Amino acid sequence: PDAQYIESQGRGYPIEYHYSPLKPNEYVVPRLAQLIPRWLEQETGSMLVFLPGVGDIVRLQQLLTQQKNTPVEGDCLSHVDIFPLYGQLDTKAQQLAIQPSPQGRRKICLATNIAETSLTIDGVRMVIDSGLERSAKFDPKTGITRLEQHMIAQSSAIQRAGRAGRLEAGICIRLYSQEMLQQ
């Protein structure tokens, strides 16, 4: 009862929101491979991309690396480093993903919801949110736990977007509609 109450709002910068919902039967990874270079051409800074799982991260990293090595498409990716970020990575690989980029380079972090937490990645001012996550579900009938993909909660969407406005004004691109966010 004698404890003092302290509240801190923290510091945040404005975030500009864009909605780019997936079309029916459109897959997340190929869509992101199209969007990422476009946003890198239009904006400055590094990018954090939220994907549902490790397999998606690996596939997107492969596609972006192919684009980077293609002279026609790779111009905007030529000074960009691509890093995965997920819980099963060793500490060294996780540190590479979150440390500041060298002078004159940008970074794309391909992350699971591990990056929703209080993590701040220096230089990130763009976030692309797939709106999806995978979580373990135990089936008592079979006795097996399996990963299920589903839409994130509204609180997760807010957390993810907040990564864009941590260090300066940012941009959040969501692969779902504003109406889906309200559900």
Side-chain angles (χ1 to χ4, degrees), residues 22-33 175:
L22 293 171
K23 296 176 181 129
N25 299 320
E26 186 176 28
Y27 294 102
V28 170
V29 171
R31 176 74 171 138
L32 286 169
L175 297 187

Side-chain angles (χ1 to χ4, degrees), residues 159-181:
Q159 282 281 35
R160 289 178 177 192
R163 302 296 138 241
R166 273 294 181 82
L167 302 171
E168 61 182 295
I171 296 168
C172 178
I173 302 104
R174 291 176 166 157
L175 297 187
Y176 47 94
S177 67
Q178 193 168 7
E179 294 75 30
M180 287 180 74
L181 180 65

Side-chain angles (χ1 to χ4, degrees), residues 50 128-133 150-153 157 160 174-176:
F50 285 97
I128 299 184
D129 181 8
S130 68
L132 300 169
E133 69 180 353
H150 53 87
M151 285 294 296
I152 58 172
R160 289 178 177 192
R174 291 176 166 157
L175 297 187
Y176 47 94

Side-chain angles (χ1 to χ4, degrees), residues 28-57:
V28 170
V29 171
R31 176 74 171 138
L32 286 169
Q34 293 172 344
L35 283 177
I36 289 170
R38 287 188 207 156
W39 282 99
L40 287 173
E41 284 177 5
Q42 294 174 12
E43 298 292 335
T44 60
S46 292
M47 180 182 285
L48 175 60
V49 182
F50 285 97
L51 291 138
V54 176
D56 302 301
I57 289 172

Side-chain angles (χ1 to χ4, degrees), residues 54 57 61 83-97 110 114:
V54 176
I57 289 172
Q61 186 172 13
F83 296 100
L85 182 60
Y86 51 90
Q88 295 83 10
L89 276 179
D90 62 62
T91 305
K92 184 179 178 183
Q94 288 185 19
Q95 289 302 316
L96 278 173
L110 306 176
I114 188 175

Side-chain angles (χ1 to χ4, degrees), residues 75-133:
D75 293 340
C76 70
L77 294 171
S78 62
H79 298 317
V80 176
D81 299 311
I82 305 164
F83 296 100
L85 182 60
Y86 51 90
Q88 295 83 10
L89 276 179
D90 62 62
T91 305
K92 184 179 178 183
Q94 288 185 19
Q95 289 302 316
L96 278 173
I98 62 174
Q99 72 185 16
S101 293
Q103 186 70 27
R105 298 203 57 85
R106 297 164 79 182
K107 155 188 319 199
I108 301 171
C109 287
L110 306 176
T112 59
N113 54 2
I114 188 175
E116 276 180 26
T117 60
S118 59
L119 181 70
T120 298
I121 301 173
D122 192 42
V124 167
R125 64 173 297 271
M126 290 181 282
V127 167
I128 299 184
D129 181 8
S130 68
L132 300 169
E133 69 180 353

